């Protein structure tokens, strides 16, 4: 095992970060706020999913989780963010931090402290025949494996990317979202129902968070900190890609995922515990070269 | 003329004020809410009711409650009842600092029965400033090997460490794990651990004992806890040749990691840190975990049966884990220290924890026996459930280690390594 195996791990990790980061970055681009409570939307989705999985097959449970997180997202937006929409980004940011804390504790009180687990049957597919190329103590290539969970995560991500692309390029709502992202005032003057678009974004972001929560839950477990532990990586991916750009968020997520996997695998032993910090170093490095992020400028020109 | 209604209001207000004042005065006289000279004696319990280690708390909570019930039923120390105040720290050092302050300043606790190594180690200086004894059933940390206790001079508080533990150190039980690994001919192992104090301390203790007895560490990988995947870390670890690997992580992370390990068919013999001897781990990881084992603090106290009987009679649902008997011991020895001191103050407890545990004196198994002996003018030597609770000068105990191995889908106790065997790993005067 070596480079190929860790690239597989990085792609899987990048996939679920990407699904979440798209929702996160769309809220930033269209509602114009950094929503630190977004991690809790993942947790809500994960918990709804694990409860639903006790009643329905997993794909149906995942759909229930997406609907649940979508409903939670729009309800929370109406209750906490819409009323202060005109106060500027800082009050919105602080409100989202506070809301995140409240949600985390409400989840803890209602769902309990114990972790929950999806009942999944893992199948491992092993691939052999890639010749080893040892460099020092590290085998660069070699055999590798993927599991059924890996395939589900990547397949879901590809499906989300395809649907998102179709939505943004082929539907009135998607085109209106892009228009609002570019210039909200101009979009309003051109007759776009901006409030409806905002609502759509909240729901879409919630749905994506719900899916991401279920996918993370399938790989690990569902606990109060399921989403919170991912929020920094989601934030890093969104900023790296160019805040507000869904396509950039996808690219940023895969970079973060690969950096996390490869840094853990290949950095000196004393640095293996700080792979998240390495991901942020990469983020800072990219922003020094391109302050708007990978796709920030391109989106503005689209 | 003043209306009746106003008169009524005035009267009620007057009654409220005088009643409240009277109640407060009475409470002050009888000592409610403090150690003082009457009323209940408050003991604090900083607890892991939430957070990554919360799965260990129920057994400790139950054992403490049963012990206090027994103590109070026996008349209580100084013929007063113990009032236990339990507050959640979530094993977060910042929360722990707040909770300790609240328990000492607001609740007037004369001793604390808790705190994990993740809380004690970073707060050690702070705890010294509080000058309130911490008698904990939790921390295996080797950080405390030479820092706690009374240094063998009970009357002299100036050299005291104020931390006592009724559970064996990582130095002792990781030595048990190392000893068994070597006995099983695992001459080279890998180690993977989390980056928190407790997880790291276990790994450090294991590595020290293992290497000093001839073993070789092929690779040690430290990981950030809370990750959604540990596959890269495992891939790195298993890029080396070894026959067994040691895992030190909180339960939820360990389930994720060991599931990743099972999915990747990495093989090799898992050696688990002591908190991981949990059925949840087996249930979630499944058959690949068969054969994995953990070395946990044992039940080598001379009076384990007395504890177990009391615990079962109380009908507690929480499963007894490695920290349950030490929680019983911590409560008992603290109450006996108050009884011997003749007063319920933090200083008095600190000065008497050593004398009631080290002997010489009448060996006692329960508070009731100890109280009677002390009232007869005898010295006592508390003999505990987890160990014999003979505190060293640094406030530590030495006890046996039990090996729990996963067999047919559940942990089964397969071996006990005696305290005598393990003493060779504990340098004289350094524990």
């Amino acid at each position: 095992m070596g480079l190929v195996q860790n690239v597989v791990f990085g792609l899987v990790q990048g996939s679920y970060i990407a699904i979440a980061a798209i929702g996160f970055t769309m809220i930033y681009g269209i509602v114009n706020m950094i929503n630190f409570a977004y991690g809790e939307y993942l947790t809500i989705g994960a918990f709804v999913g694990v409860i639903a999985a006790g009643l329905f097959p997993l794909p149906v449970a995942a759909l229930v989780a997406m609907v649940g997180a979508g409903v939670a997202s729009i309800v929370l937006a109406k209750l906490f963010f819409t009323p202060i929409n005109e106060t500027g980004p800082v009050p919105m940011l602080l409100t989202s931090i506070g809301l995140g804390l409240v949600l985390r504790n409400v989840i803890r009180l209602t769902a309990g402290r114990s972790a929950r687990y999806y009942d999944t049957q893992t199948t491992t597919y092993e691939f052999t025949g890639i010749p080893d190329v040892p460099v020092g103590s590290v085998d660069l290539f070699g055999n590798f494996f993927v599991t059924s969970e890996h395939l589900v995560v990547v397949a879901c991500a590809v499906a989300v990317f395809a649907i998102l692309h179709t939505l943004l390029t082929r539907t009135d709502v998607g085109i209106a979202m892009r228009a609002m992202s570019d210039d909200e005032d101009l979009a309003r003057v051109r007759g776009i129902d901006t409030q409806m678009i905002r609502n759509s974004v909240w729901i879409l972001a919630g749905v994506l968070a719900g899916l991401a929560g279920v996918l993370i839950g399938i790989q690990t477990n569902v606990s109060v900190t399921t989403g919170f532990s991912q929020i920094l990586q989601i934030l890093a991916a969104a900023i790296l890609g160019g805040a507000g750009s869904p396509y950039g968020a996808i690219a940023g997520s895969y970079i973060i995922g690969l950096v996390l996997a490869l840094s853990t695998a290949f950095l000196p032993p004393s640095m293996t515990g700080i792979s998240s910090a390495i991901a942020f170093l990469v983020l800072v490095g990219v922003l020094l070269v391109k302050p708007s992020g990978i796709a920030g400028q391109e989106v503005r020109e689209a | 003329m003043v209306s009746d209604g106003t008169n009524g209001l005035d009267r009620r207000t007057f009654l409220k004020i005088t009643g409240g004042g009277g109640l407060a005065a009475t409470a002050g006289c009888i000592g409610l809410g403090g150690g003082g000279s009457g009323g209940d004696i408050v003991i604090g319990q900083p607890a892991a009711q939430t957070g990554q280690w919360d799965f260990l708390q129920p057994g400790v909570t139950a054992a403490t409650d049963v012990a206090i019930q027994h103590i109070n039923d026996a008349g209580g120390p100084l013929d007063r009842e113990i009032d236990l105040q339990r507050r959640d720290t979530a094993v977060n050092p910042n929360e722990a600092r707040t909770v300790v302050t609240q328990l000492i300043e607001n609740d007037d606790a004369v001793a604390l029965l808790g705190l994990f190594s993740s809380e004690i180690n970073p707060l050690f200086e702070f705890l010294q400033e509080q000058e309130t004894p911490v008698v904990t059933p939790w921390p295996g940390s080797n950080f405390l090997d030479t820092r706690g206790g009374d240094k063998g001079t009970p009357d002299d508080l100036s050299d005291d460490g104020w931390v006592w533990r009724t559970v064996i150190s990582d130095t002792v039980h990781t030595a048990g794990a190392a000893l068994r690994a070597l006995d099983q001919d695992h001459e080279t192992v890998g180690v993977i651990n989390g980056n928190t104090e407790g997880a790291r301390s276990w790994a450090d203790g294991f590595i020290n004992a293992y290497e000093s007895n001839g073993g070789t560490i092929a690779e040690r990988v430290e990981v950030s806890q809370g990750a959604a995947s540990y596959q890269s870390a495992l891939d790195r670890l298993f890029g080396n040749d070894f026959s067994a690997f040691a895992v030190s992580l909180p339960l939820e992370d360990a389930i994720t990691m060991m599931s990743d390990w099972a999915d990747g068919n990495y093989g090799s013999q898992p050696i688990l840190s002591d908190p991981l001897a949990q059925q949840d781990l087996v249930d979630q990881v499944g058959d690949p975990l068969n054969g994995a084992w953990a070395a946990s603090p044992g039940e080598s106290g001379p009076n384990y049966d007395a504890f177990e009987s009391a615990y079962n009679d109380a009908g507690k649902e929480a499963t007894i884990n490695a920290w349950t008997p030490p929680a019983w011991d911590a409560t008992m020895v603290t109450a006996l220290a108050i009884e011997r001191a003749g007063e319920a103050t933090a200083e008095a407890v600190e000065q008497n924890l050593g004398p009631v545990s080290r002997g010489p004196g009448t060996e006692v198994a329960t508070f009731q026996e100890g109280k009677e002996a002390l009232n007869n003018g005898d010295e006592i030597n508390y003999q505990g459930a987890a160990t014999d609770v003979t505190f060293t000068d640094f406030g530590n105990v030495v006890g046996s280690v039990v090996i729990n191995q996963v067999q047919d889908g559940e942990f089964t106790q397969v071996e006990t390594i005696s305290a005598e065997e393990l003493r060779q790993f504990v340098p004289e005067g350094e524990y």
Side-chain angles (χ1 to χ4, degrees), chain A residues 25-275:
Chain A
T25 207
M26 287 182 77
I27 293 174
Y28 177 82
I30 296 170
V31 184
N32 198 26
M33 72 169 288
I34 293 174
N35 185 8
F36 267 103
Y38 191 69
E40 271 52 62
Y41 298 6
L42 268 72
T43 310
I44 290 170
F47 268 109
V48 172
V50 83
I51 293 166
L55 305 170
F56 310 111
L58 190 55
V60 179
L63 287 174
V64 173
M66 292 160 73
V67 171
V71 170
S73 176
I74 185 68
V75 169
L76 291 168
K78 291 291 180 189
L79 286 175
F80 296 101
F81 298 131
T82 304
I84 59 167
N85 199 29
E86 303 301 324
T87 58
V90 174
M92 297 275 274
L93 173 69
L94 295 177
T95 302
S96 76
I97 294 171
L99 178 62
L101 278 169
V102 171
L103 285 176
R104 201 150 56 250
N105 285 290
V106 168
I107 293 167
R108 176 176 284 129
L109 286 172
T110 54
R113 299 183 296 268
S114 301
R116 315 274 183 94
Y117 297 88
Y118 285 93
D119 186 13
T120 56
Q121 298 293 320
T122 305
T123 307
T124 301
Y125 306 95
E126 296 190 25
F127 298 88
T128 57
I130 298 177
D132 285 348
V133 181
V135 176
S137 62
V138 178
D139 290 339
L140 274 182
F141 300 109
N143 304 335
F144 68 100
F145 70 89
V146 296
T147 67
S148 47
E149 278 98 343
H150 292 161
L151 296 176
V152 167
V153 171
V154 174
C156 285
V158 171
V160 165
F161 302 156
I163 293 169
L164 177 81
H165 180 70
T166 306
L167 175 78
L168 291 178
T169 57
R170 303 288 171 85
T171 67
D172 291 343
V173 171
I175 291 167
M177 284 177 180
R178 291 167 58 199
M180 261 187 80
S181 177
D182 274 354
D183 191 328
E184 183 175 348
D185 291 334
L186 184 59
R188 192 181 298 112
V189 169
R190 293 296 299 269
I192 292 173
D193 183 348
T194 54
Q195 190 54 52
M196 187 273 287
I197 298 300
R198 281 170 184 266
N199 293 345
S200 303
V201 168
W202 281 117
I203 293 170
L204 179 60
V207 165
L208 292 171
L211 177 60
V214 172
L215 294 176
I216 292 168
I218 288 170
Q219 289 223 104
T220 59
N221 56 58
V222 180
S223 73
V224 174
T225 56
T226 290
F228 181 67
S229 61
Q230 302 298 318
I231 190 65
L232 287 180
Q233 291 166 16
I234 294 167
L235 175 70
I239 293 174
L240 186 59
S245 163
Y247 300 111
I250 295 170
S253 297
Y254 282 107
I255 291 172
I256 295 291
L258 287 166
V259 167
L260 285 171
L262 295 174
S263 63
T264 304
F266 296 117
L267 281 173
S270 59
M271 299 178 75
T272 50
I274 58 167
S275 55

Side-chain angles (χ1 to χ4, degrees), chain B residues 394-423:
Chain B
F394 298 105
N396 297 317
V397 293
V398 180
S400 65
V401 164
V402 294
I403 305 296
N404 290 296
Q405 186 165 33
V406 182
Q407 294 178 347
D408 300 324
E410 61 182 24
F411 277 100
T412 305
Q413 195 167 310
V414 294
E415 188 180 340
T416 299
I417 303 173
S418 70
E420 290 67 34
E421 243 181 305
L422 293 166
R423 279 183 195 277

Side-chain angles (χ1 to χ4, degrees), chain A residues 16 113 117 124 220 267 272-273, chain B residues 49 54 224 228 236 255 263:
Chain A
Y16 60 70
R113 299 183 296 268
Y117 297 88
T124 301
T220 59
L267 281 173
T272 50
Chain B
Q49 291 171 309
D54 62 0
S224 301
R236 180 194 187 105
I255 289 174
D263 293 346

Side-chain angles (χ1 to χ4, degrees), chain B residues 206-217:
Chain B
F206 175 82
I207 289 169
N208 285 342
Y210 184 73
E211 287 187 327
S212 61
N213 285 278
T216 302
I217 303 296

